[in-house]
Amino acid sequence: MTERALEGVRIVECGQNVAAAYAAKLMADMGADVIKIEEPGRGDLARHRGPYPGQVPHPEKSGLFLYLNTNKQGVTLDLRQAAGREIFHRLLQDADALIHDYHPTEMASLGLDYAALEKINPRLVMTSIAPFGLRGPRTNDQATDLTLWSAGGITYLNGGGPGTDDMPPLKPFGQQAGYQAGVNASIATLGALFARLSTNEGQHIEISTQECLMSILEFTFELYPYMSIFASRLGQKPIQPLDFLECKDGWIFLCCVEEHQWRNFLEVMDNPEWAGEAIFADRVNRGANWDALKPLLQDWVQDQSVKELYDKAQARRVPIAPVSTMGDLFDNAHLKARGFFATIAHPIAGSLQYPGELYKFSETPWTIRCPAPLLGQHNAEIYGRIGLSSTEIDSLRQQGVL
Amino acid sequence: MSRLPLEGIRVADFTWVWAGPFCTLQLAHLGAEVIRIETASRPCITRQILPWPEGKPGINRSGYFNQYNQNKRSLSLNLKTPEALDLAKQLVTKSDIVSENFAGGVMDRMGLGYDVLKQLRPDLIMISLSGYGATGPEREHISYGPAQVPMSGLSSLTGYKDWPPMHVGISYGDPNGGLHGAFAVLCALMYRARTGKGQYIDLSQWETSTALVAEGLLDYSMNGTQPARDGNHDLYMAPHGVFRSSGQDRWISLAVRDDEEWQRFCAVLGRPELAADPRFVTLAARKQNEDALEAIVTEWTQARTPEEANAQLQAAGIPAAPVMNAKDLATDPHLNSRPLFVYNEHPEVGVRQHIGVPWKLSKTPLPVRPAPTLGQDTDYVLRDILGYGETDIAGLRERQVLT
């Protein structure tokens, strides 16, 4: 059997919703052994968000939870009880990393800060994901995905548009702040684990979600320190065309970043007469006169089908893209040929298609070994492994610790 | 000083624009020696666009390039010449990682495909971060980061109710590809440390963004339906949105997570009578009467600045944040109290505020050096890594190999 890239790496994960779960999922899918700790009874908040089959809530059928927790083992543990914390310490004794996104005040009040946990296991890498980090005046602020995306500077760049200034800045679909913090946490954690191969020392990693989002602001952050200006959602047309147009059977995104791409697209359109006008001569002019240009393009595009236009334009090296719906993605021949979607069977939610192989490794492929755990599914196995007898496990369950 | 996590790891970096350079930026932050292979005859697009200080263009003056290439080195090589190709191969033999993000097939045509390079360096890790990936019928298609947002499915789910699909404000496909690529390289390094084996990683930017649309895809997988666009709303929280504040184009985002928080929110609004109002007392009721609810919230938010609203909401433990622009971020007291921003002297733009590393490692603080000027490290690479003498280097320069 092929060896997995992160085989032998032992991770303990505790948190809610996306950030810590996504970091640990990325590692679990590459072969790490992940033990996910959830609150007894309620479990991870992601279990209570859906989507659900028929939109009927069920803690074992949340699409968000099922996606974020593939390849993990799951236990329940109440960290608010002393007995729970004692077991937590035992789980950490032979772990390589702890990844959590509990709020900083909550973690400290439980006595689970790095200074305490380092004593349990000096080789432990502990990764704390917090909305605004672990120091500074906003450390204790409460946050959700929406408010973090705003605090990270990205919301200000999107939504509304010319003539629609009354529309508010707009968040993207899903919980994107959580995913960004998660993938950053996975990089920093693996970096520290790689360092540990030579130093044999653990360390504490602090991740601020706000800062992770700022670091993907493209060039819009530097506009301020370099030119004392800032971008907003109301002025998004410096280069055009870079916009959504409606075909007869769906939407496309027309993207002509370089001059030759625009010229090629004109050929795809059979060189319309208006294209010769000076106000569309180069990308700066096309941007400045986008209000005049867009209706002309829209008029032509509305008789095209998405697929035909995409094929014709791509054949001329124009980076046009379809606006994929969920159905389009599952049906897409390219994604199918690459085996992107994985079918995963789950004992309660059933067999479903998930986004799967994110990267193709020639030696250590991405693999699915098991679906997301049921709440407390691996209590007996994991707690047995750290030396608890079945009588002790039963008694702890009765006390609500497990 | 403590050893950096990737100290001693060298990357021969053929990437350009954003996705690839963002991948190698993460590796550079962790201490890898990342050597960008560049040419003045076709410089990276990010070297050619703004922002420039004083509005004055220059190949080393763009804030875009200077942000995403911190901590790296630059080797100037004109790969159109056979001698330069040979030098690139020599560098690969001295490198642990090769990275590139051309369209599928380009590296192979240059004679720098993985099959060739792994002969030169058997334990090499190579990563390709193309738009579509290295296999599949559309592998040679051309793609830019902004187009990955609609392709990934994110745009079809993002937008106001009954409005067209929308973007997210940045070329989101690029950083997603770059970050997942950095994670993938680290996985390969862990594997190599254990087994001595290198490998090839094929990453598609399209796929790494599609992975972040999972809730929509699982919904479709379960129910066969496309979720509707619904602005800033959330199925599980209300009020949940971005609301107008006092001032020009100023906004506050806020979220009420549960019924108990709603009670506290009513107190902050100074509207205790709302706490018992049946239109709002449960999440289901608030979702049903969301328009009326938002009118009430807006009445309160537009009478104060985002900062004032934020302070009052946070004092009551309710999630909120001003919608911050670049100026707000650059001057923010919280951010400036943290070790995020770096102020390095750069030879052509002077001291500018840049965003440094968004993670703090307690035992290995990660230093940040400014981005390189084009070709800044050409002599260092030829002399110290490849062992060339001054006369050889002068000859190469004369033959236009190092341009």
Side-chain angles (χ1 to χ4, degrees):
Chain A
M1 204 188 104
T2 322
E3 200 177 337
R4 300 182 295 264
L6 298 183
E7 198 149 322
V9 173
R10 281 159 305 183
I11 310 285
V12 174
E13 172 216 318
C14 51
Q16 302 284 11
N17 268 322
V18 178
Y22 190 61
K25 171 195 164 62
L26 288 171
M27 299 173 85
D29 287 359
M30 291 311 295
D33 294 323
V34 175
I35 299 172
K36 182 184 179 75
I37 295 177
E38 297 183 74
E39 225 177 276
R42 189 179 190 197
D44 187 336
L45 287 176
R47 292 183 181 273
H48 305 278
R49 271 196 71 92
Y52 302 105
Q55 308 306 349
V56 180
H58 185 298
E60 299 296 355
K61 295 184 184 178
S62 157
L64 178 64
F65 182 86
L66 293 172
Y67 175 65
L68 288 172
N69 295 290
T70 51
N71 284 328
K72 299 179 188 175
Q73 292 190 299
V75 298
T76 50
L77 190 62
D78 186 354
L79 298 177
R80 284 183 298 255
Q81 298 193 45
R85 289 196 291 274
E86 198 269 322
I87 293 170
F88 186 59
H89 290 168
R90 283 160 78 171
L91 285 174
L92 292 181
Q93 269 162 14
D94 68 346
D96 296 302
L98 166 66
I99 303 178
H100 81 92
D101 58 11
Y102 280 6
H103 196 273
T105 46
E106 195 178 345
M107 211 62 180
S109 71
L110 294 173
L112 298 176
D113 44 25
Y114 181 68
L117 298 182
E118 176 184 40
K119 294 194 185 88
I120 309 291
N121 176 359
R123 295 182 75 244
L124 183 72
V125 170
M126 174 172 172
T127 302
S128 300
I129 307 170
F132 299 98
L134 301 178
R135 57 195 114 158
R138 292 191 73 179
T139 303
N140 294 332
D141 277 13
Q142 292 290 323
T144 67
D145 213 87
L146 167 86
T147 66
L148 283 167
W149 198 257
S150 298
I154 309 182
T155 309
Y156 196 74
L157 303 173
N158 196 45
T164 56
D165 304 2
D166 54 331
M167 298 303 279
L170 180 69
K171 75 179 271 290
F173 171 80
Q175 300 198 59
Q176 301 302 325
Y179 287 111
Q180 292 304 317
V183 65
N184 272 279
S186 73
I187 294 167
T189 305
L190 267 194
L193 286 173
F194 188 79
R196 205 186 65 169
L197 296 174
S198 33
T199 64
N200 210 29
E201 277 188 354
Q203 57 180 322
H204 186 209
I205 299 168
E206 173 191 347
I207 310 271
S208 151
T209 303
Q210 181 189 30
E211 293 175 3
C212 293
L213 297 175
M214 290 172 65
S215 70
I216 60 167
L217 277 170
E218 209 161 0
F219 56 88
T220 65
F221 176 77
E222 289 75 33
L223 280 173
Y224 186 72
Y226 275 67
M227 301 179 84
S228 303
I229 55 177
F230 54 87
S232 85
R233 75 197 190 290
L234 305 176
Q236 277 195 64
K237 48 178 189 177
I239 56 169
Q240 287 287 9
L242 204 69
D243 208 344
F244 296 90
L245 299 170
E246 191 166 18
C247 295
K248 63 182 178 190
D249 56 352
W251 291 81
I252 56 120
F253 184 72
L254 181 55
C255 176
C256 292
V257 177
E258 299 189 49
E259 282 308 309
H260 68 272
Q261 293 164 351
W262 171 246
R263 287 195 301 275
N264 289 355
F265 190 70
L266 292 178
E267 284 176 28
V268 171
M269 288 192 293
D270 272 337
N271 295 305
E273 248 172 63
W274 51 259
E277 310 218 0
I279 57 168
F280 308 137
D282 55 48
R283 61 187 179 192
V284 175
N285 274 294
R286 287 191 294 277
N289 299 297
W290 181 237
D291 291 348
L293 177 55
K294 184 172 176 176
L296 297 169
L297 287 169
Q298 176 59 63
D299 193 46
W300 183 82
V301 162
Q302 69 185 0
D303 299 326
Q304 308 291 314
S305 87
V306 172
K307 176 81 172 80
E308 281 167 23
L309 181 55
Y310 174 59
D311 290 346
K312 267 191 290 189
Q314 280 286 350
R316 305 298 313 269
R317 310 300 286 158
V318 178
I320 193 173
V323 177
S324 313
T325 63
M326 302 301 100
D328 294 339
L329 291 163
F330 283 119
D331 286 345
N332 184 274
H334 181 76
L335 294 176
K336 271 187 188 161
R338 284 176 59 79
F340 175 65
F341 290 106
T343 302
I344 301 174
H346 179 275
I348 295 180
S351 186
L352 295 164
Q353 275 195 293
Y354 294 57
E357 188 174 36
L358 282 191
Y359 8 60
K360 295 183 183 303
F361 282 64
S362 62
E363 297 291 322
T364 58
W366 185 99
T367 51
I368 281 291
R369 310 187 297 287
C370 59
L374 305 174
L375 185 60
Q377 182 182 340
H378 301 96
N379 281 0
E381 183 183 337
I382 301 290
Y383 294 136
R385 201 172 77 200
I386 60 167
L388 296 182
S389 69
S390 52
T391 328
E392 283 172 301
I393 293 174
D394 279 345
S395 142
L396 287 164
R397 184 177 294 123
Q398 276 156 22
Q399 295 162 46
V401 175
L402 309 185
Chain B
M1 204 186 101
S2 56
R3 190 186 155 87
L4 295 170
L6 296 188
E7 205 162 313
I9 298 291
R10 183 174 295 136
V11 184
D13 185 10
F14 293 86
T15 67
W16 69 334
V17 197
W18 192 14
F22 201 58
C23 169
T24 55
L25 176 69
Q26 316 304 318
L27 305 174
H29 280 340
L30 288 168
E33 180 176 68
V34 175
I35 300 169
R36 282 185 63 100
I37 291 134
E38 304 191 81
T39 172
S41 61
R42 201 171 175 221
C44 186
I45 291 167
T46 60
R47 283 193 179 276
Q48 300 179 65
I49 59 179
L50 50 69
W52 310 292
E54 296 91 42
K56 201 176 102 195
I59 206 102
N60 299 313
R61 292 173 55 80
S62 169
Y64 196 163
F65 181 89
N66 289 346
Q67 174 63 45
Y68 292 124
N69 294 283
Q70 295 177 105
N71 272 332
K72 301 182 194 173
R73 295 184 182 277
S74 170
L75 162 66
S76 178
L77 268 191
N78 181 2
L79 292 174
K80 295 225 161 72
T81 70
E83 272 186 294
L85 268 177
D86 181 57
L87 287 170
K89 286 181 182 171
Q90 289 179 44
L91 180 59
V92 170
T93 66
K94 306 273 188 187
S95 299
D96 303 278
I97 296 159
V98 167
S99 53
E100 62 96 5
N101 64 327
F102 298 112
V106 171
M107 284 293 270
D108 290 320
R109 287 196 289 276
M110 287 165 70
L112 296 171
Y114 176 65
D115 289 345
V116 173
L117 299 185
K118 77 173 175 194
Q119 307 297 328
L120 303 174
R121 170 94 191 199
D123 67 348
L124 184 72
I125 293 165
M126 179 167 173
I127 182 164
S128 298
L129 306 106
S130 58
Y132 286 79
T135 66
E138 297 179 7
R139 67 185 174 280
E140 292 189 8
H141 275 22
I142 177 165
S143 182
Y144 284 67
Q148 301 293 347
V149 178
M151 276 173 65
S152 71
L154 201 51
S155 290
S156 75
L157 300 171
T158 297
Y160 309 106
K161 194 175 183 173
D162 304 324
W163 270 53
M166 287 193 75
H167 214 261
V168 302
I170 53 171
S171 304
Y172 198 41
D174 283 299
N176 287 333
L179 290 165
H180 286 86
F183 170 75
V185 167
L186 284 158
C187 287
L189 277 170
M190 292 291 280
Y191 176 71
R192 195 185 73 163
R194 213 169 60 239
T195 63
K197 291 183 197 157
Q199 59 182 318
Y200 176 68
I201 303 165
D202 162 26
L203 179 146
S204 142
Q205 294 173 39
W206 182 8
E207 291 167 355
T208 46
S209 281
T210 303
L212 309 190
V213 190
E215 292 113 292
L217 289 161
L218 265 295
D219 197 347
Y220 188 89
S221 186
M222 289 168 163
N223 299 308
T225 51
Q226 164 87 7
R229 290 187 282 276
D230 197 14
N232 291 318
H233 290 150
D234 188 276
L235 276 175
Y236 306 93
M237 294 180 253
H240 185 278
V242 176
F243 298 91
R244 187 177 289 285
S245 300
S246 70
Q248 198 189 345
D249 202 33
R250 304 217 63 205
W251 305 81
I252 175 97
S253 60
L254 60 90
V256 169
R257 292 171 291 192
D258 53 37
D259 296 345
E260 186 269 326
E261 211 157 86
W262 165 248
Q263 297 294 318
R264 277 185 276 138
F265 187 70
C266 295
V268 175
L269 293 191
R271 299 282 301 272
E273 80 282 5
L274 290 176
D277 190 326
R279 290 177 303 160
F280 307 125
V281 78
T282 62
L283 170 68
R286 290 194 298 281
K287 284 299 289 180
Q288 190 137 34
N289 299 294
E290 206 156 18
D291 288 347
L293 174 67
E294 294 192 343
I296 292 168
V297 176
T298 302
E299 200 180 315
W300 183 80
T301 58
Q302 67 186 6
R304 37 192 56 75
T305 66
E307 292 74 21
E308 288 161 358
N310 182 60
Q312 280 183 267
L313 290 165
Q314 290 290 352
I318 296 165
V323 174
M324 299 176 83
N325 63 37
K327 181 185 179 183
D328 298 331
L329 294 170
T331 56
D332 181 66
H334 173 75
L335 291 165
N336 280 286
S337 77
R338 296 173 52 76
L340 174 69
F341 293 123
V342 288
Y343 298 87
N344 284 316
E345 177 77 34
H346 178 280
E348 297 202 22
V349 300
V351 175
R352 301 281 156 184
Q353 181 180 22
H354 287 103
I355 294 166
V357 191
W359 350 291
K360 311 290 166 274
L361 277 59
S362 62
K363 292 189 186 145
T364 43
L366 305 173
V368 181
R369 284 178 289 115
T373 56
L374 203 157
Q376 175 188 289
D377 305 292
T378 303
D379 283 33
Y380 156 78
V381 173
L382 292 174
R383 196 183 53 227
D384 293 13
I385 300 177
L386 302 183
Y388 280 70
E390 300 300 333
T391 328
D392 298 333
I393 296 173
L396 287 163
R397 195 158 269 135
E398 214 161 278
R399 295 192 294 281
Q400 304 289 312
V401 176
L402 308 179
T403 51

